[in-house]
Amino acid sequence: MLVLVSQAVAAALAAPAEATRDLAAADRLAAAEDVAAARAAKTVEATSVECIQSSEPPASAAAELTVLPVKFELRVANRLAVQAYQRFARAVARGRSANPTLHAFRRAVAVLAQQDARLTRMRLDFCAFLGDWRGAGWPRDYFDTWEAQKLRQAGVDGALVDRLGLRLERLAPGFRRLGLSADEADRLVTTAELIL
């Protein structure tokens, strides 16, 4: 009986430490994502104006072309941050607490890491995208269609990623019960989400 009580106490004490370690890993991921975003911005901005001009878009595409480089930068940043997400997932996977919140978090992050790894299969070239758009006849909202096709080709299940994102958000109260502040709990679960 004493052994069971001591194991229960040890598990209860380990859970807050694990949540804190996961938060530190999430903070490292967020910093790496910031670096990836800056690198993606440089990459896309270096060619976007020239690519847009050489693709000779019609006036009807002008409104979309103002936001398109930003959308493309986000996708490139996600791809550049894949290795950082994989490191984050490995750090989270080291947890051993049986706490339901931590267990659910580990499961969701493991599945998201599998989806995230598939982003490396995507070929992202802004000029090539514009060529595809022109070839399709410049339809409205083409980026969303093109992106969905690229994600499917890479094997990324967007619906699964969305469902897991919602599950992660529902774990924030559990992290607060483990001792994280509301801000820390929200930061942890939102950083763990994949944004497609």
Side-chain angles (χ1 to χ4, degrees), residues 40-70:
K42 279 185 182 179
T43 302
V44 174
E45 288 171 9
T47 60
S48 64
V49 173
E50 184 179 319
C51 290
I52 290 170
Q53 289 173 348
S54 68
S55 68
E56 300 174 353
S60 61
E64 287 185 68
L65 286 169
T66 60
V67 296
L68 218 101
V70 175

Side-chain angles (χ1 to χ4, degrees), residues 3-196:
V3 172
L4 291 176
V5 170
S6 64
Q7 286 176 342
V9 169
L13 294 175
E18 188 175 323
T20 303
R21 280 193 308 270
D22 289 349
L23 178 62
D27 288 342
R28 289 189 299 274
L29 172 60
E33 288 173 338
D34 289 344
V35 170
R39 190 169 151 213
K42 279 185 182 179
T43 302
V44 174
E45 288 171 9
T47 60
S48 64
V49 173
E50 184 179 319
C51 290
I52 290 170
Q53 289 173 348
S54 68
S55 68
E56 300 174 353
S60 61
E64 287 185 68
L65 286 169
T66 60
V67 296
L68 218 101
V70 175
K71 285 182 169 184
F72 210 82
E73 284 172 20
L74 291 172
R75 179 55 54 223
V76 171
N78 283 356
R79 190 178 185 287
L80 292 173
V82 166
Q83 291 306 315
Y85 195 91
Q86 299 304 308
R87 282 191 300 274
F88 168 71
R90 285 191 298 275
V92 168
R94 288 186 199 108
R96 296 290 175 248
S97 172
N99 176 280
T101 297
L102 292 168
H103 183 70
F105 185 71
R106 283 193 306 268
R107 257 194 345 252
V109 168
V111 174
L112 286 172
Q114 292 170 345
Q115 295 295 307
D116 182 68
R118 295 174 183 164
L119 291 175
T120 60
R121 300 175 188 167
M122 291 178 67
R123 181 176 161 262
L124 298 171
D125 179 298
F126 191 67
C127 292
F129 162 75
L130 290 171
D132 291 347
W133 193 13
R134 181 179 55 225
W138 302 101
R140 291 182 50 78
D141 300 321
Y142 181 73
F143 180 82
D144 297 333
T145 303
W146 177 87
E147 180 183 38
Q149 178 186 13
K150 292 290 184 184
L151 288 169
R152 256 191 323 277
Q153 288 172 348
V156 176
D157 183 341
L160 173 64
V161 169
D162 290 344
R163 283 193 312 273
L164 289 171
L166 292 173
R167 271 190 217 157
L168 285 170
E169 289 174 13
R170 289 193 301 262
L171 294 175
F175 280 109
R176 288 194 295 276
R177 286 189 294 277
L178 290 171
L180 297 184
S181 70
D183 178 58
E184 290 170 331
D186 290 342
R187 194 168 77 231
L188 174 57
V189 297
T190 56
T191 301
E193 291 181 59
L194 288 183
I195 307 301
L196 297 181

